[in-house]
Structures are given as structure tokens and as C-alpha cells.
Amino acid sequence: MNQLLGGKQFTIPCSIFNNRLQVKLSALADSGANGFLFLNKRLGPGFSKHLSLSTRQLNYLIKIRGFDRVITNQVNKYYFANFKVDGRYFKNLPLLLLDLGSHDIIIGKTFFAHFDIKLDISALKLIWPVGLDPNRSYQSFFQLDKGDIQQQSL
């Protein structure tokens, strides 16, 4: 019975980048999250400052329901940012700012559906469609430490 719960989470190394600066993060691949991309709001102030990202305001609140369908949170702020995951670069994607607990980013099912990405749960890897191959980047990025950004955000 112990094997029915728990286990390794489906996390993927990723990064947010802008103006030749990059912050390496970890994303939870969550096929149950009914959304696109979510960024932990504790990282928000540091991202605004160091990556020169402008916080944008929605004209309305989006109520967030947990797995039990109970409203647990609300979101009305977001960024447009450049996102890298599994060697693929995506430019100007919206990331909703939300309290994600211990996760940096949650990649939701809308992202996977939009780019036709399949999840191999047993191998904990993403299966990419033909034509969405890893990008080669000849641009160098200066790495910012997530811990430094968090400390200055508090």
C-alpha cells in the first residue's frame, strides 16, 4: 500500500531569461494544473529587479481551485518572460504569479496541449513533437543565482 502514494515528482530543469541574464529554476510538470505557466510569486520582486521584467495586472481576479475543487488562491498579476525547458526556448510567454509553495514554476496542461507535448510519467521525461527540436543558442547568458534573487525579494 505504501507504493500507491508518494514517489518522485515530475520536475524538469528550466530557466527564465531576459537581457542576457538567466535564472535556473525547477518546474513541476503538472497535467492536472488547468493553466499555462505559473511562477511562484515569492520570486516575483527579484525577477522584476534583476531581469527587468514588468509586472502586469489583469483587469480581474482569477480564482484558483485546488485538487479538491476548493478555492485556495487568487491571481491577478503576471509577467511576459522568455522560458527555456528541455533545451527549447520560448519567447514572451505569460507566467501567472501565484503562491506555489516549494515549487518555482508549474507547467500546466494548457502549455502541454498548446505545444503538443506528451508526458512520459514512468520515465519522467517530456516527449516533444516533430519540429520542436532543441534550439542552439550562440548567445551567452550571465547566470543569476535563485537564492540571491529570493533573499533580495524578501
Side-chain angles (χ1 to χ4, degrees):
M1 286 301 256
N2 287 341
Q3 295 176 1
L4 298 178
L5 294 172
K8 189 171 172 149
Q9 292 184 333
F10 194 158
T11 56
I12 308 160
C14 66
S15 60
I16 301 291
F17 60 97
N18 194 39
N19 296 335
R20 300 189 66 178
L21 298 173
Q22 174 175 264
V23 180
K24 290 188 177 181
L25 303 167
S26 177
L28 176 68
D30 189 346
S31 62
N34 195 16
F36 199 72
L37 290 170
F38 304 96
L39 175 66
N40 197 323
K41 68 180 181 181
R42 71 179 153 74
L43 298 171
F47 274 54
S48 290
K49 178 180 178 184
H50 295 286
L51 295 180
S52 301
L53 296 175
S54 299
T55 305
R56 298 173 185 230
Q57 187 95 21
L58 294 169
N59 295 330
Y60 51 89
L61 284 175
I62 299 173
K63 295 180 180 177
I64 306 297
R65 297 182 188 274
F67 67 92
D68 56 0
R69 308 297 303 152
V70 174
I71 295 174
T72 58
N73 216 329
Q74 300 182 106
V75 63
N76 68 343
K77 293 182 181 174
Y78 66 101
Y79 290 123
F80 275 109
N82 301 316
F83 181 61
K84 178 184 172 189
V85 61
D86 210 14
R88 279 84 175 170
Y89 289 85
F90 300 92
K91 292 195 174 209
N92 292 326
L93 296 182
L95 290 102
L96 294 171
L97 294 170
L98 194 60
D99 181 7
L100 302 179
S102 62
H103 299 293
D104 299 330
I105 291 178
I106 291 180
I107 305 173
K109 68 181 179 181
T110 309
F111 179 90
F112 297 122
H114 181 77
F115 293 107
D116 196 28
I117 303 164
K118 309 293 185 240
L119 281 67
D120 182 342
I121 302 298
S122 61
L124 298 177
K125 68 178 190 173
L126 302 176
I127 301 171
W128 295 88
V130 175
L132 199 51
D133 300 322
N135 306 94
R136 289 186 183 251
S137 176
Y138 300 102
Q139 197 175 42
S140 61
F141 292 99
F142 180 75
Q143 300 290 325
L144 295 174
D145 183 67
K146 178 180 82 171
D148 290 341
I149 287 177
Q150 284 176 308
Q151 291 293 347
Q152 294 180 10
S153 298
L154 299 176

